[in-house]
Amino acid sequence: MLKIGKRESIATSFEIGIHNATLAIVIAQSVLGSTELSLPAAVYGVLMFFVAFAFGFLIREREPQTAMAS
């Protein structure tokens, strides 16, 4: 629909996930004034890197291996 490639859409998804965790922490502490409400976002913010790494590893495009000439 937006005519962007697969790599760009994956990169955008990762960036949005990272920024959403940070935004949730800022809103919980500054707007709502609650440290307790920022804890789930903080936990997500830490765990998200491991999940994102695993997901990125699974969906990466593998380059075809060429046969070595002997």
Side-chain angles (χ1 to χ4, degrees):
M1 186 168 146
L2 296 176
K3 297 182 181 180
I4 60 174
K6 181 180 178 181
R7 291 178 155 224
E8 290 84 5
S9 62
I10 291 171
T12 303
S13 299
F14 277 86
E15 275 298 312
I16 290 171
I18 292 170
H19 289 145
N20 280 346
T22 307
L23 182 62
I25 293 169
V26 169
I27 290 173
Q29 290 189 358
S30 63
V31 176
L32 302 175
S34 174
T35 305
E36 292 83 15
L37 289 177
S38 67
L39 290 177
V43 171
Y44 166 75
V46 171
L47 295 178
M48 174 257 321
F49 287 105
F50 299 108
V51 174
F53 175 76
F55 181 71
F57 184 77
L58 289 174
I59 65 168
R60 78 182 192 283
E61 294 179 12
R62 295 188 176 103
E63 295 183 23
Q65 296 180 354
T66 57
M68 296 181 70
S70 42

